[in-house]
Amino acid sequence: MRFFPIDRENNVLNLKKVVMKKDRKLLIAGNWKMNKTVAESLDLVQQLVRELHQVKEVDILISPPFTALGEVSKKVIETNIRLGAQNMSEHTGGAYTGEIAAEMLKEFLVRYVILGHSERRQHQEESDSLISKKALTAHAASIRPIVCVGETLEQREAGVTNDVVGSQIKGSLAGLTSEQMEETVVAYEPVWAIGTGKTATAEQAQQVHAFIRSVLAELHGSSVANQVRIQYGGSVKPANARELMSQPDIDGALVGGASLDAKSFSEIILNSI
Ligand code: PGA
């Protein structure tokens, strides 16, 4: 008798999670980083179009280097593959040597931009406040930011993962309206799992994703938080994609190494459906 109401409650909760999950279409994105010439990019994208043209269940995104965006854009224009950029200036134009503005990306039909990747936080010393400026600039140009957060191994071992990720979320998404928040993607990428072959377990990832959603709910209310897609990134491969993607708060993947190969990126997507 005692257990019946509790079980029923759990069932209702589980059902709710499934329904909410279905509301959020998976977004699986490739981050090509500083790889691929134009010719190599075209070769990869042609294979991807061939392998993935029938996929409707998942939103597919590729993020080639800036130099290949123009040519790749022509190949994906009438396909189900969307284009992302790996970075963008917080400024809209002017005397900023070496920078790329949102309007320049829009010329190539770029729909998303990866911001605050841990490699940029580390090597270019990007701060939360810079990332939030970039996110606002992206929204002003109707480009959806994919804002990356994640703890280092040292931080995880010190037990401060939630503190670190929570403060990155608050800082990097500062100033966004709730409407903009709904159109923002968050990528949880534990630094220790990027390019190392060490994936967070589905359980570890789910815990942080649920925490991120609770922080978003604190900032914007739960109905907004439930709209936001939270991707997992860090050594995602065909063998672990299904388990990760089936977690209630994991809404896609940001894939580095495995997105450089048409077969493995396609398998990640096909295994996630
Ligand atoms: P990885 O990179 O898949 O090679 O670990 C992920 C990322 O940096 O986005």
Coordinates of all heavy atoms in Angstrom, one line a residue, residues 227-269:
Q227 N 12.7 24.2 -22.6 CA 12.8 24.4 -24.1 C 14.2 24.3 -24.5 O 14.5 24.0 -25.7 CB 12.3 25.8 -24.5 CG 10.9 26.1 -24.2 CD 10.0 25.4 -25.1 OE1 10.2 25.3 -26.3 NE2 8.9 24.9 -24.6
V228 N 15.2 24.6 -23.6 CA 16.6 24.7 -24.0 C 17.2 23.4 -24.3 O 17.1 22.4 -23.5 CB 17.4 25.5 -22.9 CG1 18.9 25.6 -23.3 CG2 16.8 26.8 -22.7
R229 N 17.9 23.3 -25.4 CA 18.6 22.0 -25.7 C 20.0 22.1 -25.1 O 20.7 23.0 -25.3 CB 18.7 21.9 -27.3 CG 17.3 21.6 -27.8 CD 17.4 21.1 -29.3 NE 17.6 22.2 -30.2 CZ 17.5 22.1 -31.5 NH1 17.2 20.9 -32.0 NH2 17.7 23.1 -32.3
I230 N 20.3 21.0 -24.4 CA 21.6 20.9 -23.7 C 22.3 19.7 -24.3 O 21.9 18.6 -24.2 CB 21.4 20.7 -22.2 CG1 20.5 21.8 -21.6 CG2 22.8 20.8 -21.5 CD1 20.3 21.7 -20.1
Q231 N 23.4 20.1 -25.1 CA 24.2 19.0 -25.7 C 25.3 18.5 -24.8 O 25.8 19.2 -23.9 CB 24.9 19.6 -26.9 CG 24.0 20.1 -28.0 CD 24.8 20.6 -29.2 OE1 25.7 21.5 -29.0 NE2 24.5 20.2 -30.4
Y232 N 25.6 17.3 -25.0 CA 26.8 16.7 -24.3 C 28.0 16.7 -25.3 O 27.8 16.3 -26.5 CB 26.6 15.3 -23.7 CG 27.9 14.7 -23.3 CD1 28.4 15.1 -22.1 CD2 28.6 13.8 -24.1 CE1 29.7 14.6 -21.7 CE2 29.8 13.4 -23.7 CZ 30.4 13.8 -22.5 OH 31.6 13.3 -22.1
G233 N 29.2 17.0 -24.9 CA 30.4 16.9 -25.7 C 31.5 16.4 -25.0 O 31.7 16.7 -23.8
G234 N 32.4 15.6 -25.6 CA 33.6 15.0 -25.0 C 33.6 13.5 -25.3 O 33.0 12.7 -24.7
S235 N 34.4 13.3 -26.4 CA 34.6 11.9 -26.8 C 33.3 11.1 -27.2 O 33.2 9.9 -26.9 CB 35.5 11.1 -25.8 OG 36.7 11.7 -25.7
V236 N 32.4 11.8 -27.8 CA 31.2 11.1 -28.2 C 31.6 10.3 -29.5 O 32.3 10.8 -30.4 CB 30.0 12.1 -28.6 CG1 28.8 11.4 -29.2 CG2 29.6 12.9 -27.4
K237 N 31.1 9.1 -29.5 CA 31.4 8.2 -30.7 C 30.2 7.3 -30.9 O 29.3 7.2 -30.1 CB 32.7 7.4 -30.4 CG 33.1 7.1 -29.0 CD 34.4 6.5 -28.8 CE 34.7 6.1 -27.4 NZ 35.3 7.1 -26.6
P238 N 30.3 6.5 -32.0 CA 29.1 5.7 -32.3 C 28.7 4.8 -31.2 O 27.6 4.5 -30.9 CB 29.5 4.9 -33.6 CG 30.5 5.8 -34.3 CD 31.3 6.5 -33.1
A239 N 29.8 4.2 -30.5 CA 29.5 3.2 -29.5 C 28.8 3.8 -28.2 O 28.1 3.1 -27.5 CB 30.8 2.6 -29.1
N240 N 29.0 5.1 -27.9 CA 28.4 5.6 -26.7 C 27.2 6.6 -27.0 O 26.6 7.1 -26.0 CB 29.4 6.3 -25.8 CG 30.2 7.4 -26.4 OD1 29.6 8.0 -27.3 ND2 31.4 7.7 -26.0
A241 N 26.9 6.9 -28.2 CA 25.9 7.9 -28.5 C 24.5 7.5 -28.0 O 23.9 8.4 -27.4 CB 25.9 8.2 -30.0
R242 N 24.1 6.3 -28.3 CA 22.8 5.9 -28.0 C 22.5 6.1 -26.5 O 21.5 6.7 -26.1 CB 22.5 4.5 -28.4 CG 21.0 4.1 -28.3 CD 20.8 2.7 -28.5 NE 21.3 2.2 -29.8 CZ 20.6 2.1 -30.9 NH1 19.3 2.6 -30.9 NH2 21.1 1.7 -32.1
E243 N 23.4 5.6 -25.7 CA 23.2 5.7 -24.2 C 23.1 7.1 -23.7 O 22.3 7.5 -22.9 CB 24.2 4.9 -23.5 CG 23.7 4.4 -22.1 CD 24.8 4.0 -21.2 OE1 25.9 3.8 -21.6 OE2 24.5 3.9 -20.0
L244 N 24.1 7.9 -24.2 CA 24.1 9.3 -23.8 C 22.8 10.0 -24.3 O 22.1 10.7 -23.5 CB 25.3 10.0 -24.4 CG 26.7 9.7 -23.8 CD1 27.8 10.1 -24.7 CD2 26.8 10.4 -22.4
M245 N 22.4 9.8 -25.5 CA 21.3 10.6 -26.1 C 19.9 10.1 -25.5 O 18.9 10.8 -25.6 CB 21.2 10.4 -27.6 CG 22.4 11.0 -28.3 SD 22.7 12.7 -27.9 CE 24.3 12.6 -27.1
S246 N 19.9 8.9 -24.8 CA 18.7 8.5 -24.3 C 18.4 9.1 -22.9 O 17.4 8.9 -22.3 CB 18.6 7.0 -24.2 OG 19.6 6.5 -23.3
Q247 N 19.4 9.8 -22.3 CA 19.2 10.4 -21.0 C 18.2 11.6 -21.1 O 18.1 12.3 -22.1 CB 20.5 11.0 -20.5 CG 21.6 10.0 -20.3 CD 21.2 8.8 -19.4 OE1 20.7 9.1 -18.3 NE2 21.3 7.6 -19.8
P248 N 17.3 11.7 -20.1 CA 16.2 12.7 -20.2 C 16.7 14.1 -20.4 O 15.9 14.9 -21.1 CB 15.5 12.5 -18.8 CG 16.4 11.7 -18.0 CD 17.3 10.9 -18.8
D249 N 17.8 14.5 -19.9 CA 18.2 15.9 -20.1 C 19.3 16.1 -21.1 O 19.9 17.2 -21.2 CB 18.6 16.6 -18.8 CG 17.4 16.8 -17.9 OD1 16.5 17.6 -18.3 OD2 17.2 16.0 -16.9
I250 N 19.6 15.1 -21.9 CA 20.7 15.2 -22.9 C 20.0 15.4 -24.3 O 19.2 14.5 -24.7 CB 21.7 14.1 -22.9 CG1 22.4 14.0 -21.5 CG2 22.7 14.2 -24.0 CD1 23.5 13.0 -21.4
D251 N 20.1 16.5 -24.9 CA 19.4 16.8 -26.1 C 20.2 16.9 -27.4 O 19.9 17.7 -28.3 CB 18.6 18.1 -25.9 CG 17.9 18.2 -24.6 OD1 17.2 17.2 -24.3 OD2 18.1 19.1 -23.8
G252 N 21.3 16.2 -27.4 CA 22.2 16.3 -28.6 C 23.6 16.1 -28.2 O 24.0 15.9 -27.0
A253 N 24.5 16.3 -29.2 CA 25.9 16.1 -28.9 C 26.7 17.2 -29.7 O 26.3 17.6 -30.8 CB 26.3 14.7 -29.4
L254 N 27.8 17.5 -29.1 CA 28.8 18.4 -29.8 C 30.0 17.4 -30.0 O 30.6 17.0 -29.0 CB 29.1 19.6 -29.0 CG 30.0 20.7 -29.7 CD1 29.5 21.1 -31.0 CD2 30.2 21.9 -28.8
V255 N 30.3 17.1 -31.3 CA 31.2 16.1 -31.6 C 32.5 16.6 -32.2 O 32.3 17.3 -33.3 CB 30.6 15.0 -32.5 CG1 31.5 13.8 -32.7 CG2 29.2 14.6 -32.0
G256 N 33.6 16.4 -31.7 CA 34.9 16.8 -32.3 C 35.5 15.8 -33.2 O 35.0 15.6 -34.3
G257 N 36.4 15.0 -32.6 CA 37.2 14.1 -33.4 C 36.3 13.2 -34.3 O 36.6 13.0 -35.5
A258 N 35.2 12.6 -33.8 CA 34.4 11.7 -34.6 C 33.6 12.4 -35.7 O 33.0 11.7 -36.5 CB 33.5 10.9 -33.6
S259 N 33.6 13.7 -35.7 CA 32.8 14.4 -36.7 C 33.7 14.6 -38.0 O 33.2 15.1 -39.0 CB 32.3 15.7 -36.2 OG 33.3 16.7 -36.1
L260 N 35.0 14.3 -37.9 CA 35.9 14.5 -39.0 C 35.8 13.3 -40.0 O 36.4 13.4 -41.1 CB 37.3 14.6 -38.5 CG 37.6 15.8 -37.6 CD1 39.0 15.8 -37.0 CD2 37.3 17.2 -38.4
D261 N 35.1 12.3 -39.6 CA 35.0 11.1 -40.5 C 33.5 10.9 -40.8 O 32.7 10.8 -39.8 CB 35.6 9.9 -39.7 CG 35.4 8.6 -40.4 OD1 36.0 8.5 -41.5 OD2 34.6 7.8 -40.0
A262 N 33.1 10.8 -42.0 CA 31.7 10.7 -42.4 C 31.0 9.5 -41.8 O 29.9 9.6 -41.3 CB 31.6 10.7 -44.0
K263 N 31.8 8.4 -41.8 CA 31.1 7.2 -41.3 C 30.8 7.3 -39.8 O 29.7 7.0 -39.3 CB 32.1 6.0 -41.6 CG 31.4 4.6 -41.3 CD 32.3 3.5 -41.9 CE 31.8 2.2 -41.5 NZ 32.1 1.8 -40.2
S264 N 31.8 7.8 -39.0 CA 31.5 7.8 -37.6 C 30.5 8.9 -37.2 O 29.7 8.7 -36.4 CB 32.8 7.9 -36.8 OG 33.5 9.1 -37.1
F265 N 30.6 10.0 -37.9 CA 29.6 11.1 -37.6 C 28.2 10.6 -37.9 O 27.2 10.8 -37.2 CB 29.9 12.4 -38.3 CG 29.1 13.6 -37.8 CD1 29.1 14.0 -36.5 CD2 28.3 14.3 -38.7 CE1 28.3 15.0 -36.1 CE2 27.6 15.4 -38.3 CZ 27.6 15.8 -37.0
S266 N 28.1 9.9 -39.1 CA 26.7 9.4 -39.5 C 26.2 8.4 -38.6 O 25.1 8.4 -38.2 CB 26.8 8.8 -40.9 OG 27.3 9.8 -41.8
E267 N 27.1 7.5 -38.1 CA 26.7 6.5 -37.2 C 26.2 7.0 -35.9 O 25.3 6.6 -35.3 CB 27.9 5.5 -36.9 CG 27.9 4.4 -38.0 CD 29.0 3.4 -37.8 OE1 29.5 3.3 -36.7 OE2 29.5 2.8 -38.8
I268 N 26.9 8.1 -35.4 CA 26.5 8.7 -34.1 C 25.0 9.2 -34.3 O 24.2 9.0 -33.4 CB 27.4 9.9 -33.8 CG1 28.8 9.4 -33.3 CG2 26.8 10.8 -32.7 CD1 29.8 10.5 -33.1
I269 N 24.8 9.8 -35.5 CA 23.4 10.3 -35.7 C 22.4 9.2 -35.8 O 21.4 9.1 -35.2 CB 23.4 11.2 -36.9 CG1 24.2 12.5 -36.6 CG2 22.0 11.5 -37.4 CD1 24.5 13.4 -37.7

